[in-house]
């Protein structure tokens, strides 16, 4: 859905509902919420026990009557009621009261590229549940490009790669619009899953599923680059006996396991470049690729992209919050549209 900058300037709040984290930007107050998209529910009473960081810490540690849920999957709201309840608790009573005072509350929300009408409707319903009278949907790629300072409105090519938890989105932008884009269903969760499966098959070790990412346990130092540590000590549970066990894992084997899902990302980048006009591809040889999103911080991923594509690769200053900060910049009126001067007759 295409919206103008003038419509976005009238919005009061911007929300980025991600599979991993939820971020809320309030006009005039800045970024007020940056919490995991997790909620803990009492299945006996239906009461909400915890949201955000505390609920994420409860993952895998709860009794039978407490269920930890993620109402957002792949950038799409899959449980509208739970997403509304989670957002209300994350905002807090004081902030909700301030938003309710707005006579006609307007909200802006990020949606993944090529989101189907059902996903767009779910995002709109979630915002309406917070009291929004009008909801503007903005493509995550454009919001992230604005948030990391790319010259989106100029007639030059800019390539952005949004590395999310559930998917990776790659696009070439010019004149404020998407020229060509690709959404690859491989993200940080797929990379974590590859590490977990490798340790299970090669070492018969099960990793814990709590908030500490398995990737951060298995890789540190220089990460997936060959200059990283030769081996890493991993703690987990033995598959056969169920007892706690520690093993030294060969980091080179973990790097190979990670490269398998990342191959799909490289294929997606190649497809975007093949579909892009030659003039814009020529611009990208100097500008390169800008990486944003939480998974962009994977150690060594930028170097891997440089080696595979031969293009410059840069990581945004704050890659995890680029999308919501881009929406916030549009709300605050900091982005000026390009003015076309018609030829005088």
């Amino acid at each position: 859905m295409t919206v103008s900058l003038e419509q976005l300037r009238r919005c009061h709040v911007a929300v980025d509902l991600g599979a991993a984290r939820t971020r809320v930007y309030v006009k005039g107050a800045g970024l007020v919420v940056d919490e995991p998209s997790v909620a803990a529910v009492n299945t006996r009473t239906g009461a909400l026990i915890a949201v955000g960081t505390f609920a994420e810490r409860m993952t895998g540690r709860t009794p039978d009557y407490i269920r930890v849920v993620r109402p957002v999957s792949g950038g799409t709201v899959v449980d509208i009621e739970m997403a509304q309840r989670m957002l209300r608790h994350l905002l807090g009573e004081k902030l909700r009261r301030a938003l309710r005072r707005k006579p006609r509350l307007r909200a802006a929300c990020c949606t993944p590229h090529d989101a189907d009408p059902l996903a767009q409707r779910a995002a709109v319903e979630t915002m309406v549940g917070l009291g929004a009278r009008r909801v503007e949907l903005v493509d995550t790629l454009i919001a992230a490009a604005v948030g990391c300072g790319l010259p989106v409105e100029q007639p030059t090519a800019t390539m952005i790669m949004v590395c999310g938890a559930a998917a990776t989105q790659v696009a070439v932008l010019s004149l404020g619009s998407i020229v060509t884009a690709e959404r690859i269903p491989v993200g940080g969760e797929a990379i974590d899953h590859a590490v977990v499966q490798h340790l299970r098959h090669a070492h018969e070790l099960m990793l814990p599923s709590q908030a500490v990412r398995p990737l951060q346990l298995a890789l540190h130092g220089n990460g997936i680059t060959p200059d990283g540590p030769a081996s890493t000590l991993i703690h987990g549970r033995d598959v056969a006996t169920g007892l706690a066990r520690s093993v030294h894992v060969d980091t080179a084997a973990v790097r190979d396991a990670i490269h398998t899902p990342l191959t799909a990302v490289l294929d997606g980048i190649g497809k975007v470049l093949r579909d892009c006009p030659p003039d814009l591809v020529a611009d990208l040889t100097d500008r390169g690729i800008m990486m944003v999103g939480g998974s962009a911080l994977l150690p060594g991923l930028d170097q891997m992209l440089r080696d595979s594509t031969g293009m410059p690769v840069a990581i945004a200053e704050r890659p995890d919050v680029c999308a919501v900060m881009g929406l916030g910049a549009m709300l605050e009126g900091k982005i000026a549209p390009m003015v076309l001067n018609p030829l005088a007759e």
Side-chain angles (χ1 to χ4, degrees), residues 111-132:
T111 55
H113 179 66
D114 283 344
D116 56 57
L118 193 61
Q120 294 180 359
R121 178 74 185 202
V124 171
E125 290 292 333
T126 303
M127 295 297 102
V128 169
L130 288 178

Side-chain angles (χ1 to χ4, degrees), residues 146-161:
V146 171
C148 61
L150 292 178
V152 180
E153 295 291 334
Q154 299 302 315
T156 55
T158 54
M159 190 170 188
I160 188 164
M161 178 175 170

Side-chain angles (χ1 to χ4, degrees), residues 19-80:
R21 299 185 74 87
T22 294
R23 300 175 176 93
V24 180
Y25 185 102
V26 175
K27 193 172 185 177
L31 187 65
V32 295
V33 173
D34 185 3
E35 293 280 342
S37 304
V38 188
V41 185
N42 187 327
T43 56
R44 294 175 182 172
T45 63
L48 202 60
I49 297 175
V51 295
T53 304
F54 187 60
E56 190 178 45
R57 287 171 54 195
M58 295 168 64
T59 305
R61 301 167 181 260
T62 60
D64 293 340
Y65 66 92
I66 296 178
R67 187 165 57 97
V68 178
V69 296
R70 291 181 177 270
V72 184
S73 177
T76 303
V77 179
V78 294
D79 188 340
I80 296 175

